[in-house]
Amino acid sequence: MASTSAVSSVHARGVDMNEKNTRTLIYVAQTPDDSLVAHLAGVGWNVLIARSASEAGRYARPDLPYAGLIDVTRLASRDLAALEPSLRQQHIGWIALANAQRLDEPEVRRLIRNYCFDYVKLPVPHASIDYLIGHAFGMVTLCDLDMVAGLASAGDDEMVGTCEAMQQLFRTIRKVANTDAAVFISGESGTGKELTALALHERSPRRKAPFIAINCGAIPHHLLQSELFGYERGAFTGANQRKIGRVEAAHGGTLFLDEIGDLPLESQASLLRFLQEGRIERLGGRDSIAVDVRVISATHVDLEQAMQDGRFRADLFHRLCVLRIDEPPLRARGKDIEILAHHMLHKFKTDSARRIRGFAPSAVEAMHNYNWPGNVREMINRVRRAIVMAEGKLISAQDLGLAQFTAQETTTLAQARDDAEKRAIEAALLRHRNRLNEAAIDLGISRVTLYRLMGAHGLREIPAREKDEAANPSATGDTSGD
């Protein structure tokens, strides 16, 4: 057994984070195995020891690949739950170390099945662990790390994009955010106009005050006045108490008027009066109330045409459109289409128990060929459906409902191998009536490997007795996991 000082020296040496060819391993263990660390360091791994989930998260830079080794034998359930965000990282290839007792726990099995490339049942030779983490590291180096880094830095309400159209949009947002002038956002439905409005608010001096959004097309016309400006008690039947309107609620902050093109003419007049005077009157009230808000409006309607048709007031348009932002449609965003699709996959992948690894070449081709009339909103719906319905590890054009937009359903060598492997396992199980011992012998693999491959391919659940035997390879003399 190596000394603790040896472990510390390996940990302190760390890794040159500017060197992308370095093999780096994040070893998560409350009580690290000193001899294992010394062995891994001796064969060229830069070992970073993390004794907690937060420490593991601090080590991993999203633009570099890592191998990951997690010892679940001494981690409490709460520690495993806290580690789950780190396990989800696509640029870390995780291998789990476990014993028979922990493998009986449903939460441990779930984490290993969903997030780890493989696992080994202790005790096992150090050379076997080195082989497995080397394989996991090799797999994650195939990822597009620039794309992964971009997704890792994007929160739920962040705008994702690297194309010139989006970079121009970001530059415009930075310029416009610090002014109080009214902003009009034009763009097709589903392009993310509310996200742009929220980005303007979050980067403005008003960011600590409310951001109030109202969809002018979703509220019945006869209720719109009271929603915008509020009402006093007794203003109409059912008005049992005073209600503050959306405009007044946004005092000091930002008021976002979405689908402003659907605003009826009578409400347009009231809104124009407020924009001119900076004051409102609640329905049924006599007091004039000063309100300080920054107004951002948006619509998919062609307001120039609406003004010509007499459906929208020109004076209101010029009040709202002091500064204009044009939201680019998804079809004009080039490689951003693929980046956004990966972002949606990363965000919603827990919708399915199956571990989806990415998009097949046919899916990428179809997404670039498709016109996306519903823009980003449509992409979200198509990707979420594909995550649930996909049969393989990669989402295909057919899973997205876009098979007609690809020249042909191309199959990669990896897909062909996966499909052939799944068919061979299904045939062996059928021949031997789901008897795992006989099927494994027929396939020339161990029972443990057969059970792992069945899980990876989403084959049916096996009886609990056989599951226990598969998790206890010592009964069959198998400790390698192939």
Side-chain angles (χ1 to χ4, degrees), residues 9-79:
S9 65
V10 173
H11 184 192
R13 183 178 61 184
V15 57
D16 180 0
M17 301 303 277
N18 294 319
E19 181 55 68
K20 291 199 173 187
N21 294 323
T22 302
R23 295 199 314 164
T24 307
L25 169 68
I26 299 175
Y27 178 23
V28 182
Q30 289 182 343
T31 54
D33 182 339
D34 294 5
S35 63
L36 174 60
V37 173
H39 171 80
L40 294 172
V43 294
W45 288 100
N46 288 285
V47 183
L48 304 178
I49 298 174
R51 290 180 169 81
S52 66
S54 60
E55 195 172 349
R58 287 196 300 269
Y59 282 141
R61 267 180 46 178
D63 58 337
L64 293 177
Y66 297 85
L69 186 64
I70 173 174
D71 187 346
V72 303
T73 56
R74 298 182 181 88
L75 288 177
S77 297
R78 63 178 181 276
D79 297 322

Side-chain angles (χ1 to χ4, degrees), residues 96-336:
L97 303 178
N99 55 25
Q101 181 180 358
R102 295 311 300 271
L103 287 173
D104 287 337
E105 299 177 20
E107 182 64 15
V108 171
R109 293 201 300 271
R110 183 186 70 83
L111 288 174
I112 292 175
R113 182 176 65 249
N114 290 345
Y115 303 118
C116 295
F117 277 84
D118 210 335
Y119 76 96
V120 290
K121 181 173 174 290
L122 297 174
V124 68
H126 293 165
S128 297
I129 297 175
D130 176 39
Y131 170 79
L132 288 174
I133 60 177
H135 175 66
F137 180 79
M139 291 298 292
V140 296
T141 57
L142 300 178
C143 295
D144 185 343
L145 293 176
D146 292 334
M147 182 180 295
V148 172
L151 301 186
S153 63
D156 288 345
D157 294 323
E158 288 293 324
M159 303 171 71
V160 177
T162 61
C163 69
E164 178 54 35
M166 288 301 291
Q167 292 304 310
Q168 179 59 46
L169 176 62
F170 296 152
R171 288 192 291 269
T172 301
I173 289 173
R174 287 193 292 270
K175 291 178 182 178
V176 171
N178 288 322
T179 73
D180 258 349
V183 179
F184 174 67
I185 305 172
S186 176
E188 299 176 8
S189 292
T191 51
K193 294 185 288 294
E194 184 167 352
L195 281 180
T196 297
L198 184 59
L200 287 169
H201 172 74
E202 292 293 342
R203 288 158 180 78
S204 75
R206 296 175 179 264
R207 57 185 171 273
K208 294 183 180 179
F211 174 85
I212 303 296
I214 181 169
N215 188 324
C216 301
I219 299 174
H221 290 179
H222 64 283
L223 297 178
L224 194 55
Q225 289 279 99
S226 60
E227 282 293 322
L228 283 173
F229 306 112
Y231 54 80
E232 296 287 353
R233 179 180 179 181
F236 50 83
T237 302
N240 299 321
Q241 59 184 1
R242 172 187 292 172
K243 179 183 177 181
I244 301 299
R246 302 289 185 91
V247 175
E248 192 174 350
H251 179 69
T254 301
L255 176 70
F256 176 54
L257 300 171
D258 199 6
E259 300 302 348
I260 192 71
D262 295 329
L263 199 66
L265 284 171
E266 57 270 25
S267 297
Q268 292 178 29
S270 300
L271 183 60
L272 177 61
R273 188 181 313 114
F274 159 66
L275 292 174
Q276 289 173 334
E277 301 174 2
R279 307 183 73 86
I280 64 166
E281 289 183 8
R282 303 189 191 106
L283 293 182
R286 297 182 179 179
D287 295 333
S288 178
I289 304 166
V291 179
D292 172 28
V293 298
R294 197 234 185 125
V295 176
I296 301 175
S297 57
T299 188
H300 71 284
V301 173
D302 183 349
L303 288 188
E304 284 85 355
Q305 185 62 50
M307 286 187 289
Q308 292 179 17
D309 296 342
R311 293 181 288 111
F312 201 86
R313 296 178 59 127
D315 48 1
L316 176 59
F317 174 77
H318 295 303
R319 281 281 182 178
L320 292 172
C321 191
V322 178
L323 298 169
R324 177 169 180 151
I325 295 177
D326 292 306
E327 199 86 22
L330 182 56
R331 60 182 172 275
R333 292 176 57 177
K335 191 180 179 182
D336 277 7

Side-chain angles (χ1 to χ4, degrees), residues 277-434:
E277 301 174 2
R279 307 183 73 86
I280 64 166
E281 289 183 8
R282 303 189 191 106
L283 293 182
R286 297 182 179 179
D287 295 333
S288 178
I289 304 166
V291 179
D292 172 28
V293 298
R294 197 234 185 125
V295 176
I296 301 175
S297 57
T299 188
H300 71 284
V301 173
D302 183 349
L303 288 188
E304 284 85 355
Q305 185 62 50
M307 286 187 289
Q308 292 179 17
D309 296 342
R311 293 181 288 111
F312 201 86
R313 296 178 59 127
D315 48 1
L316 176 59
F317 174 77
H318 295 303
R319 281 281 182 178
L320 292 172
C321 191
V322 178
L323 298 169
R324 177 169 180 151
I325 295 177
D326 292 306
E327 199 86 22
L330 182 56
R331 60 182 172 275
R333 292 176 57 177
K335 191 180 179 182
D336 277 7
I337 293 173
E338 186 177 353
I339 292 176
L340 273 166
H342 279 276
H343 177 65
M344 300 309 167
L345 174 60
H346 182 73
K347 183 175 181 180
F348 297 113
K349 62 185 177 182
T350 54
D351 286 357
S352 172
R354 182 185 299 276
R355 187 176 183 183
I356 306 295
R357 296 188 180 275
F359 295 87
S362 65
V364 175
E365 178 190 4
M367 286 190 290
H368 282 286
N369 291 339
Y370 185 53
N371 199 43
W372 295 108
N375 290 289
V376 179
R377 188 181 295 119
E378 181 184 358
M379 173 176 278
I380 293 172
N381 293 339
R382 287 187 180 274
V383 171
R384 291 195 73 173
R385 178 184 180 278
I387 289 171
V388 175
M389 302 304 294
E391 293 291 335
K393 295 178 183 178
L394 296 177
I395 290 175
S396 68
Q398 184 174 358
D399 296 328
L400 291 168
L402 301 176
Q404 66 271 35
F405 293 94
T406 181
Q408 58 181 350
E409 279 284 330
T410 57
T411 301
T412 65
L413 184 58
Q415 284 178 275
R417 286 171 176 164
D418 278 346
D419 292 343
E421 187 176 74
K422 182 178 180 179
R423 288 195 298 270
I425 292 171
E426 288 175 328
L429 291 171
L430 184 63
R431 282 195 302 274
H432 298 286
R433 299 181 181 179
N434 291 318

